[in-house]
Amino acid sequence: MDDSEAKINEIFTRGIGECIDPEGVFKEKLIKKARGEYKGGIIVKFGVDPTRPDIHLGHAVVLRKLRQLQDMGCKVVFLIGDFTAQIGDPTGKSKIRPEIEQKEVEHNLKTYLDQVGKILLTNKEVFSWIRNSDWFMGITDLFVPQPVTYTDNTTGQNVVFPPNSFQAKAAVYDKTRMQTSVLKKTEIHNITLRTFLSILRNVTHSQLVQRDMFAERIKRGEELYMHEMLYPILQGVDSHVLHKVYGSCDVEIGGSDQTFNMLMGRTVMKAGKQEPQAVISMKILEGLDGKEKMSKSLDNYIAIADAPEDMYGKVMSLPDTSIVRYYELCTYTPHMEVEEIESVLKEGKTNPRDIKMKLAHQIVAIYHGEKEAGKAEEVFVRTFQKKEIPTDMPEVRASKGEILADVLLSAGLVSSKSDFRRLATEGAIKDIETNEKITDVHATVQKNLVLKIGKKKFAKVITL
C-alpha cells in the first residue's frame, strides 16, 4: 500500500461513525485526485452554528478530518450558519433551543475563524468560508438606518438614497453579499419563498418526524414547532446553494448526531438535479466526565484555546476509560499504536497515569507546540509528583468569578461558610501551585486551582 492509499484508508476509517457514499462517487474522486488523474475541485462542507465562541476537542475531531482532506487537495468550505443560528437546531436536546441575537453571532463568528487556523490550512486554494445569510437574507430583511450614497457606474454621479428605503437596502445588499464581494462571482444565488416551497415538495412530514428527537418529543406530548422541523431542510438547502456557488458540494462532514441533517442535503440536491453529496459522520467524543458527549452547554469540554497548563490538567482529569478514545480521536498516534495502548491498559501492567501524561502532552503540543507542552508537563510533575500530592483528589467545577467558599461548601470540602472563614483566617487554605495562602474570605475563582484545605484535604478546582 503506497502513502496516498494509506492516507485515504485512514480518512475513511479512523474516527468514522458512518460513511454514506452509495455509488462510491466521492471516494473514487478522492482516489483519482491523489493519483493526479482528477484536476477538478473537490468541495468539502463543514457547517457551524456559532452559538458560543469556543471550539473544543469534540469539534476538533471533525476539523482534523477536514485537515486530512485538505492535505489530499480538497477545498474545505467553512459554512457559518449565522442565519440558522438564530433559529436553533434542537439536535441532542429535549428542550427548545433559544434563538440568539445577530450581534452575538457576529462576535462568535470572528472567534471561530480565529481559532480554526490552529487546525485547518487557511490559504484560499484549500479553504473558504461563507455565511448562509448570504442566500437566506433578502433585501427587505435588511434595516438601513443611515442614508446610502450610490455611485452610478454609467454617469459617475452620486445618488443619495433615504434611510431604510428599498433603494438603500438594495445597495447595501449588493455590497454585502460574499458571493460577489469576496468570492467574486458574477451571480448572486438566493433562496426565495417560491424556491423553498418547491424544495418542500420533495420532503414528506413522515421523513421529518422519524428524526429521533422529534419522535421522542411527540411521544412525550411536548410541543414541536415548525421552525425546528424545517431546520434540517434549511441545512440541506445550504448544500444545494454551495453546489451552485462553488461548482460542487462533494461531501459534508459532521458529528454522528448530525447524520439526519446531512442526509437531508442529499435529498435537496437530488431535487435540484445535482450530484448528491456524500455524508461522513464522525464518532462523538465524550466530555471530561467520560459519559456525556463533549458539549459547551454541559460545560464538560476542553477548548482548543485553553491555556497549555489548563489543557494538560483537564486531560489528566479524564477517567481512565476515556484514554483510548482520546488517543484515537484527538491525536495523530498511528492506529496500531492506539491498539497497543488499549492492550497495555487491559493487561494492567502500566500505570494509566503515565499513558495519560503522554496523551496530555500530545494534545497540548498539537494546539500550542512542543515547547508549551513540555512546560505544562513540568508544572504537572512539579505540582503532583514532586510534592507528593494525590492525583486522585476530588475535582470541583466552578464558573469564573464564583465565590470560592460557595464552591468548596457545595463540594463538601468545608462543613460551612464559618468553617471556610476559620480555615482562611488561620492560613490553612493554600494554592499549591503558587504556594500562597488564601486568606480572603470573599475570594473568587479566577483560574484553575490545586488547593490544600487544612492538613489532609486536597482538591482541584477547574474553571469552566
Side-chain angles (χ1 to χ4, degrees), residues 249-305:
C249 184
D250 299 284
V251 63
E252 181 170 5
I253 297 182
S256 59
D257 56 350
Q258 285 289 312
T259 303
F260 182 95
N261 289 7
M262 293 190 291
L263 285 173
M264 190 57 68
R266 288 180 59 84
T267 300
V268 175
M269 293 173 80
K270 285 178 182 178
K273 310 298 183 185
Q274 298 170 332
E275 184 179 281
Q277 65 185 17
V279 168
I280 294 178
S281 61
M282 302 295 295
K283 292 178 182 178
I284 299 295
L285 183 70
E286 66 266 28
L288 295 172
D289 53 9
K291 298 176 182 178
E292 300 285 348
K293 76 170 186 176
M294 184 171 287
S295 167
K296 290 179 285 188
S297 60
L298 295 175
D299 282 326
N300 66 347
Y301 67 100
I302 303 174
I304 67 171

Short mmCIF file of all heavy atoms in Angstrom, two decimals, residues 249-305:
data_model
loop_
_atom_site.label_atom_id
_atom_site.label_comp_id
_atom_site.label_asym_id
_atom_site.label_seq_id
_atom_site.Cartn_x
_atom_site.Cartn_y
_atom_site.Cartn_z
N CYS A 249 -20.64 20.27 -4.30
CA CYS A 249 -20.58 20.07 -2.85
C CYS A 249 -20.48 18.57 -2.70
O CYS A 249 -21.48 17.85 -2.70
CB CYS A 249 -21.84 20.63 -2.17
SG CYS A 249 -21.79 20.51 -0.35
N ASP A 250 -19.25 18.08 -2.64
CA ASP A 250 -18.99 16.65 -2.77
C ASP A 250 -19.25 15.83 -1.52
O ASP A 250 -19.65 14.68 -1.60
CB ASP A 250 -17.54 16.44 -3.24
CG ASP A 250 -17.29 17.07 -4.59
OD1 ASP A 250 -17.72 16.49 -5.60
OD2 ASP A 250 -16.68 18.15 -4.64
N VAL A 251 -19.00 16.42 -0.37
CA VAL A 251 -19.18 15.68 0.88
C VAL A 251 -19.45 16.67 2.00
O VAL A 251 -18.92 17.79 2.00
CB VAL A 251 -17.94 14.82 1.20
CG1 VAL A 251 -16.70 15.68 1.42
CG2 VAL A 251 -18.18 13.92 2.42
N GLU A 252 -20.28 16.25 2.94
CA GLU A 252 -20.50 17.04 4.16
C GLU A 252 -20.04 16.19 5.34
O GLU A 252 -20.33 15.00 5.41
CB GLU A 252 -21.96 17.42 4.34
CG GLU A 252 -22.20 18.26 5.60
CD GLU A 252 -23.59 18.88 5.70
OE1 GLU A 252 -24.43 18.58 4.83
OE2 GLU A 252 -23.82 19.65 6.64
N ILE A 253 -19.34 16.82 6.24
CA ILE A 253 -18.79 16.12 7.41
C ILE A 253 -19.33 16.77 8.68
O ILE A 253 -19.43 17.99 8.79
CB ILE A 253 -17.25 16.16 7.41
CG1 ILE A 253 -16.71 15.44 6.18
CG2 ILE A 253 -16.69 15.54 8.67
CD1 ILE A 253 -15.20 15.37 6.11
N GLY A 254 -19.68 15.92 9.65
CA GLY A 254 -20.16 16.42 10.93
C GLY A 254 -20.17 15.29 11.94
O GLY A 254 -19.79 14.16 11.65
N GLY A 255 -20.62 15.60 13.16
CA GLY A 255 -20.75 14.57 14.19
C GLY A 255 -21.88 13.62 13.84
O GLY A 255 -22.76 13.93 13.03
N SER A 256 -21.87 12.43 14.46
CA SER A 256 -22.91 11.44 14.16
C SER A 256 -24.30 11.93 14.55
O SER A 256 -25.30 11.43 14.04
CB SER A 256 -22.59 10.12 14.87
OG SER A 256 -22.51 10.30 16.27
N ASP A 257 -24.37 12.93 15.44
CA ASP A 257 -25.67 13.49 15.80
C ASP A 257 -26.23 14.39 14.69
O ASP A 257 -27.36 14.87 14.78
CB ASP A 257 -25.59 14.25 17.12
CG ASP A 257 -24.55 15.36 17.11
OD1 ASP A 257 -23.75 15.43 16.15
OD2 ASP A 257 -24.52 16.16 18.06
N GLN A 258 -25.42 14.62 13.65
CA GLN A 258 -25.85 15.46 12.54
C GLN A 258 -26.20 14.65 11.29
O GLN A 258 -26.50 15.22 10.24
CB GLN A 258 -24.74 16.46 12.19
CG GLN A 258 -24.60 17.61 13.16
CD GLN A 258 -25.77 18.58 13.05
OE1 GLN A 258 -26.15 18.98 11.97
NE2 GLN A 258 -26.33 18.94 14.19
N THR A 259 -26.18 13.32 11.39
CA THR A 259 -26.38 12.48 10.21
C THR A 259 -27.70 12.77 9.52
O THR A 259 -27.77 12.89 8.29
CB THR A 259 -26.29 10.99 10.59
OG1 THR A 259 -25.03 10.73 11.21
CG2 THR A 259 -26.44 10.11 9.36
N PHE A 260 -28.78 12.88 10.29
CA PHE A 260 -30.09 13.14 9.70
C PHE A 260 -30.07 14.43 8.89
O PHE A 260 -30.54 14.48 7.75
CB PHE A 260 -31.16 13.23 10.80
CG PHE A 260 -32.56 13.44 10.29
CD1 PHE A 260 -33.41 12.37 10.08
CD2 PHE A 260 -33.03 14.71 10.02
CE1 PHE A 260 -34.70 12.56 9.61
CE2 PHE A 260 -34.32 14.92 9.54
CZ PHE A 260 -35.16 13.83 9.33
N ASN A 261 -29.53 15.49 9.48
CA ASN A 261 -29.46 16.78 8.80
C ASN A 261 -28.63 16.71 7.53
O ASN A 261 -28.98 17.29 6.49
CB ASN A 261 -28.88 17.84 9.73
CG ASN A 261 -29.83 18.22 10.85
OD1 ASN A 261 -30.87 17.60 11.03
ND2 ASN A 261 -29.46 19.23 11.62
N MET A 262 -27.49 16.01 7.61
CA MET A 262 -26.60 15.93 6.45
C MET A 262 -27.23 15.12 5.32
O MET A 262 -27.06 15.44 4.14
CB MET A 262 -25.25 15.34 6.87
CG MET A 262 -24.46 16.26 7.80
SD MET A 262 -22.75 15.72 8.10
CE MET A 262 -22.99 14.24 9.08
N LEU A 263 -27.98 14.08 5.67
CA LEU A 263 -28.68 13.30 4.65
C LEU A 263 -29.75 14.13 3.95
O LEU A 263 -30.06 13.89 2.78
CB LEU A 263 -29.31 12.06 5.28
CG LEU A 263 -28.33 10.92 5.64
CD1 LEU A 263 -29.06 9.82 6.41
CD2 LEU A 263 -27.68 10.34 4.39
N MET A 264 -30.30 15.09 4.66
CA MET A 264 -31.29 15.97 4.04
C MET A 264 -30.65 16.75 2.90
O MET A 264 -31.32 17.11 1.92
CB MET A 264 -31.89 16.92 5.08
CG MET A 264 -33.09 17.72 4.58
SD MET A 264 -34.46 16.69 3.98
CE MET A 264 -35.00 15.90 5.51
N GLY A 265 -29.36 17.00 3.00
CA GLY A 265 -28.64 17.65 1.91
C GLY A 265 -28.71 16.83 0.64
O GLY A 265 -28.86 17.36 -0.46
N ARG A 266 -28.59 15.51 0.77
CA ARG A 266 -28.70 14.63 -0.40
C ARG A 266 -30.08 14.74 -1.03
O ARG A 266 -30.23 14.81 -2.25
CB ARG A 266 -28.42 13.18 0.01
CG ARG A 266 -26.96 12.90 0.35
CD ARG A 266 -26.74 11.44 0.75
NE ARG A 266 -27.14 10.51 -0.29
CZ ARG A 266 -26.38 10.13 -1.32
NH1 ARG A 266 -25.16 10.64 -1.46
NH2 ARG A 266 -26.83 9.27 -2.20
N THR A 267 -31.12 14.78 -0.17
CA THR A 267 -32.49 14.87 -0.65
C THR A 267 -32.72 16.16 -1.44
O THR A 267 -33.27 16.15 -2.55
CB THR A 267 -33.49 14.82 0.52
OG1 THR A 267 -33.33 13.58 1.21
CG2 THR A 267 -34.92 14.95 0.05
N VAL A 268 -32.26 17.28 -0.87
CA VAL A 268 -32.46 18.58 -1.52
C VAL A 268 -31.67 18.67 -2.82
O VAL A 268 -32.15 19.19 -3.83
CB VAL A 268 -32.08 19.73 -0.57
CG1 VAL A 268 -32.18 21.08 -1.28
CG2 VAL A 268 -32.98 19.72 0.67
N MET A 269 -30.44 18.14 -2.81
CA MET A 269 -29.61 18.21 -4.01
C MET A 269 -30.18 17.35 -5.14
O MET A 269 -30.15 17.74 -6.30
CB MET A 269 -28.17 17.80 -3.67
CG MET A 269 -27.47 18.78 -2.73
SD MET A 269 -25.85 18.21 -2.17
CE MET A 269 -24.85 18.62 -3.61
N LYS A 270 -30.73 16.19 -4.79
CA LYS A 270 -31.36 15.35 -5.80
C LYS A 270 -32.55 16.08 -6.42
O LYS A 270 -32.76 16.03 -7.64
CB LYS A 270 -31.82 14.04 -5.18
CG LYS A 270 -30.71 13.05 -4.88
CD LYS A 270 -31.27 11.79 -4.22
CE LYS A 270 -30.16 10.81 -3.87
NZ LYS A 270 -30.69 9.60 -3.17
N ALA A 271 -33.31 16.79 -5.56
CA ALA A 271 -34.47 17.54 -6.05
C ALA A 271 -34.04 18.65 -7.01
O ALA A 271 -34.76 19.02 -7.93
CB ALA A 271 -35.25 18.14 -4.88
N GLY A 272 -32.83 19.17 -6.80
CA GLY A 272 -32.30 20.23 -7.65
C GLY A 272 -31.48 19.72 -8.82
O GLY A 272 -30.77 20.49 -9.47
N LYS A 273 -31.58 18.39 -9.09
CA LYS A 273 -30.87 17.77 -10.22
C LYS A 273 -29.35 17.93 -10.10
O LYS A 273 -28.63 18.08 -11.09
CB LYS A 273 -31.33 18.36 -11.57
CG LYS A 273 -32.83 18.41 -11.76
CD LYS A 273 -33.47 17.04 -11.74
CE LYS A 273 -34.98 17.13 -12.00
NZ LYS A 273 -35.65 15.81 -11.86
N GLN A 274 -28.85 17.90 -8.85
CA GLN A 274 -27.41 18.00 -8.60
C GLN A 274 -26.88 16.64 -8.14
O GLN A 274 -27.63 15.82 -7.61
CB GLN A 274 -27.13 19.04 -7.51
CG GLN A 274 -27.55 20.45 -7.87
CD GLN A 274 -27.47 21.39 -6.67
OE1 GLN A 274 -27.60 20.97 -5.52
NE2 GLN A 274 -27.26 22.67 -6.95
N GLU A 275 -25.58 16.42 -8.34
CA GLU A 275 -24.97 15.20 -7.82
C GLU A 275 -24.99 15.28 -6.29
O GLU A 275 -24.39 16.19 -5.72
CB GLU A 275 -23.53 15.08 -8.32
CG GLU A 275 -22.85 13.79 -7.90
CD GLU A 275 -21.43 13.69 -8.43
OE1 GLU A 275 -21.29 13.36 -9.63
OE2 GLU A 275 -20.48 13.99 -7.68
N PRO A 276 -25.67 14.37 -5.59
CA PRO A 276 -25.82 14.49 -4.13
C PRO A 276 -24.50 14.29 -3.40
O PRO A 276 -23.66 13.48 -3.82
CB PRO A 276 -26.82 13.39 -3.79
CG PRO A 276 -26.71 12.40 -4.89
CD PRO A 276 -26.39 13.19 -6.13
N GLN A 277 -24.34 15.03 -2.35
CA GLN A 277 -23.13 14.95 -1.55
C GLN A 277 -23.03 13.61 -0.82
O GLN A 277 -24.03 12.99 -0.48
CB GLN A 277 -23.12 16.08 -0.51
CG GLN A 277 -24.24 15.97 0.52
CD GLN A 277 -24.31 17.15 1.47
OE1 GLN A 277 -23.75 18.20 1.21
NE2 GLN A 277 -25.02 16.98 2.58
N ALA A 278 -21.80 13.17 -0.59
CA ALA A 278 -21.57 12.05 0.32
C ALA A 278 -21.69 12.60 1.74
O ALA A 278 -21.63 13.81 1.96
CB ALA A 278 -20.20 11.45 0.08
N VAL A 279 -21.87 11.72 2.71
CA VAL A 279 -22.01 12.13 4.11
C VAL A 279 -21.04 11.32 4.96
O VAL A 279 -21.02 10.09 4.88
CB VAL A 279 -23.45 11.91 4.61
CG1 VAL A 279 -23.53 12.06 6.13
CG2 VAL A 279 -24.41 12.89 3.93
N ILE A 280 -20.22 12.01 5.73
CA ILE A 280 -19.32 11.35 6.68
C ILE A 280 -19.67 11.84 8.07
O ILE A 280 -19.55 13.03 8.37
CB ILE A 280 -17.84 11.64 6.36
CG1 ILE A 280 -17.45 11.02 5.02
CG2 ILE A 280 -16.95 11.09 7.48
CD1 ILE A 280 -16.01 11.29 4.61
N SER A 281 -20.12 10.92 8.91
CA SER A 281 -20.42 11.29 10.30
C SER A 281 -19.32 10.73 11.20
O SER A 281 -18.89 9.59 11.05
CB SER A 281 -21.78 10.75 10.73
OG SER A 281 -21.82 9.33 10.66
N MET A 282 -18.84 11.59 12.09
CA MET A 282 -17.73 11.23 12.97
C MET A 282 -18.23 10.75 14.32
O MET A 282 -19.30 11.14 14.78
CB MET A 282 -16.83 12.45 13.16
CG MET A 282 -16.25 13.04 11.89
SD MET A 282 -15.13 11.91 11.06
CE MET A 282 -13.82 11.80 12.28
N LYS A 283 -17.43 9.90 14.95
CA LYS A 283 -17.74 9.45 16.30
C LYS A 283 -17.78 10.65 17.25
O LYS A 283 -17.06 11.63 17.06
CB LYS A 283 -16.68 8.46 16.80
CG LYS A 283 -16.68 7.12 16.06
CD LYS A 283 -15.57 6.22 16.60
CE LYS A 283 -15.53 4.90 15.85
NZ LYS A 283 -14.41 4.04 16.33
N ILE A 284 -18.62 10.54 18.25
CA ILE A 284 -18.77 11.62 19.23
C ILE A 284 -17.76 11.44 20.36
O ILE A 284 -17.62 10.35 20.92
CB ILE A 284 -20.19 11.64 19.81
CG1 ILE A 284 -21.22 11.89 18.69
CG2 ILE A 284 -20.32 12.70 20.90
CD1 ILE A 284 -21.12 13.25 18.04
N LEU A 285 -17.07 12.51 20.69
CA LEU A 285 -16.10 12.49 21.79
C LEU A 285 -16.79 12.80 23.10
O LEU A 285 -17.52 13.79 23.20
CB LEU A 285 -15.00 13.52 21.53
CG LEU A 285 -13.87 13.59 22.56
CD1 LEU A 285 -12.99 12.34 22.46
CD2 LEU A 285 -13.03 14.84 22.35
N GLU A 286 -16.58 11.93 24.08
CA GLU A 286 -17.18 12.21 25.40
C GLU A 286 -16.42 13.32 26.11
O GLU A 286 -15.26 13.59 25.82
CB GLU A 286 -17.19 10.95 26.27
CG GLU A 286 -15.83 10.44 26.69
CD GLU A 286 -15.28 9.37 25.75
OE1 GLU A 286 -15.64 9.39 24.57
OE2 GLU A 286 -14.47 8.54 26.22
N GLY A 287 -17.11 13.97 27.05
CA GLY A 287 -16.51 15.09 27.77
C GLY A 287 -15.68 14.65 28.95
O GLY A 287 -15.33 13.47 29.11
N LEU A 288 -15.36 15.60 29.82
CA LEU A 288 -14.47 15.34 30.95
C LEU A 288 -15.03 14.33 31.94
O LEU A 288 -14.28 13.71 32.69
CB LEU A 288 -14.18 16.66 31.69
CG LEU A 288 -13.40 17.71 30.88
CD1 LEU A 288 -13.35 19.02 31.63
CD2 LEU A 288 -11.99 17.21 30.58
N ASP A 289 -16.36 14.17 31.95
CA ASP A 289 -16.97 13.20 32.86
C ASP A 289 -16.88 11.78 32.33
O ASP A 289 -17.18 10.82 33.04
CB ASP A 289 -18.43 13.56 33.12
CG ASP A 289 -19.24 13.74 31.84
OD1 ASP A 289 -18.72 13.42 30.76
OD2 ASP A 289 -20.39 14.20 31.93
N GLY A 290 -16.50 11.63 31.05
CA GLY A 290 -16.38 10.29 30.48
C GLY A 290 -17.71 9.66 30.12
O GLY A 290 -17.77 8.49 29.75
N LYS A 291 -18.79 10.44 30.21
CA LYS A 291 -20.13 9.89 29.97
C LYS A 291 -20.87 10.66 28.88
O LYS A 291 -21.12 10.15 27.81
CB LYS A 291 -20.94 9.90 31.27
CG LYS A 291 -20.34 9.03 32.38
CD LYS A 291 -21.13 9.16 33.67
CE LYS A 291 -20.49 8.34 34.77
NZ LYS A 291 -21.23 8.49 36.07
N GLU A 292 -21.22 11.92 29.18
CA GLU A 292 -21.94 12.74 28.22
C GLU A 292 -20.99 13.20 27.11
O GLU A 292 -19.78 13.30 27.30
CB GLU A 292 -22.53 13.97 28.92
CG GLU A 292 -23.51 13.65 30.04
CD GLU A 292 -24.85 13.19 29.52
OE1 GLU A 292 -25.10 13.33 28.30
OE2 GLU A 292 -25.65 12.69 30.32
N LYS A 293 -21.57 13.50 25.93
CA LYS A 293 -20.73 13.99 24.85
C LYS A 293 -20.13 15.35 25.23
O LYS A 293 -20.74 16.11 26.00
CB LYS A 293 -21.52 14.10 23.55
CG LYS A 293 -22.46 15.29 23.46
CD LYS A 293 -23.00 15.42 22.04
CE LYS A 293 -23.83 16.69 21.89
NZ LYS A 293 -24.30 16.89 20.51
N MET A 294 -18.95 15.63 24.71
CA MET A 294 -18.31 16.91 25.00
C MET A 294 -19.21 18.01 24.45
O MET A 294 -19.59 18.00 23.29
CB MET A 294 -16.93 16.98 24.38
CG MET A 294 -16.18 18.27 24.73
SD MET A 294 -14.44 18.28 24.23
CE MET A 294 -13.73 17.17 25.45
N SER A 295 -19.55 18.95 25.31
CA SER A 295 -20.52 19.97 24.93
C SER A 295 -20.27 21.25 25.70
O SER A 295 -20.01 21.22 26.91
CB SER A 295 -21.94 19.46 25.22
OG SER A 295 -22.89 20.49 25.16
N LYS A 296 -20.38 22.36 24.99
CA LYS A 296 -20.24 23.66 25.65
C LYS A 296 -21.40 23.91 26.60
O LYS A 296 -21.24 24.49 27.66
CB LYS A 296 -20.13 24.76 24.60
CG LYS A 296 -18.83 24.72 23.83
CD LYS A 296 -18.75 25.79 22.76
CE LYS A 296 -19.60 25.46 21.57
NZ LYS A 296 -19.39 26.39 20.45
N SER A 297 -22.58 23.45 26.22
CA SER A 297 -23.75 23.67 27.06
C SER A 297 -23.68 22.87 28.35
O SER A 297 -24.26 23.25 29.37
CB SER A 297 -25.04 23.33 26.30
OG SER A 297 -25.04 21.98 25.90
N LEU A 298 -22.94 21.73 28.33
CA LEU A 298 -22.77 20.93 29.54
C LEU A 298 -21.52 21.33 30.31
O LEU A 298 -21.26 20.80 31.40
CB LEU A 298 -22.69 19.44 29.17
CG LEU A 298 -23.95 18.82 28.56
CD1 LEU A 298 -23.68 17.38 28.14
CD2 LEU A 298 -25.11 18.87 29.55
N ASP A 299 -20.74 22.25 29.74
CA ASP A 299 -19.51 22.72 30.38
C ASP A 299 -18.58 21.57 30.78
O ASP A 299 -17.96 21.60 31.85
CB ASP A 299 -19.83 23.59 31.61
CG ASP A 299 -20.26 24.99 31.22
OD1 ASP A 299 -19.75 25.51 30.21
OD2 ASP A 299 -21.13 25.57 31.90
N ASN A 300 -18.48 20.57 29.92
CA ASN A 300 -17.57 19.45 30.21
C ASN A 300 -16.52 19.32 29.10
O ASN A 300 -16.12 18.24 28.72
CB ASN A 300 -18.37 18.14 30.33
CG ASN A 300 -19.02 17.74 29.01
OD1 ASN A 300 -19.09 18.53 28.07
ND2 ASN A 300 -19.52 16.51 28.94
N TYR A 301 -16.10 20.47 28.60
CA TYR A 301 -15.26 20.47 27.40
C TYR A 301 -13.85 21.00 27.64
O TYR A 301 -13.57 21.67 28.62
CB TYR A 301 -15.92 21.28 26.29
CG TYR A 301 -16.02 22.77 26.54
CD1 TYR A 301 -15.12 23.65 25.96
CD2 TYR A 301 -17.02 23.30 27.34
CE1 TYR A 301 -15.21 25.02 26.15
CE2 TYR A 301 -17.13 24.67 27.56
CZ TYR A 301 -16.22 25.53 26.95
OH TYR A 301 -16.31 26.88 27.17
N ILE A 302 -12.97 20.67 26.70
CA ILE A 302 -11.62 21.21 26.66
C ILE A 302 -11.54 22.06 25.40
O ILE A 302 -11.63 21.54 24.28
CB ILE A 302 -10.56 20.09 26.59
CG1 ILE A 302 -10.69 19.13 27.76
CG2 ILE A 302 -9.15 20.70 26.56
CD1 ILE A 302 -9.77 17.91 27.68
N ALA A 303 -11.42 23.37 25.56
CA ALA A 303 -11.36 24.26 24.41
C ALA A 303 -9.97 24.23 23.80
O ALA A 303 -8.97 24.11 24.52
CB ALA A 303 -11.72 25.68 24.83
N ILE A 304 -9.89 24.33 22.47
CA ILE A 304 -8.56 24.31 21.84
C ILE A 304 -7.80 25.59 22.13
O ILE A 304 -6.59 25.66 21.92
CB ILE A 304 -8.66 24.07 20.32
CG1 ILE A 304 -9.32 25.25 19.60
CG2 ILE A 304 -9.41 22.79 20.01
CD1 ILE A 304 -9.24 25.16 18.09
N ALA A 305 -8.51 26.61 22.65
CA ALA A 305 -7.84 27.86 23.02
C ALA A 305 -7.49 27.90 24.51
O ALA A 305 -6.97 28.91 24.99
CB ALA A 305 -8.74 29.05 22.67
#
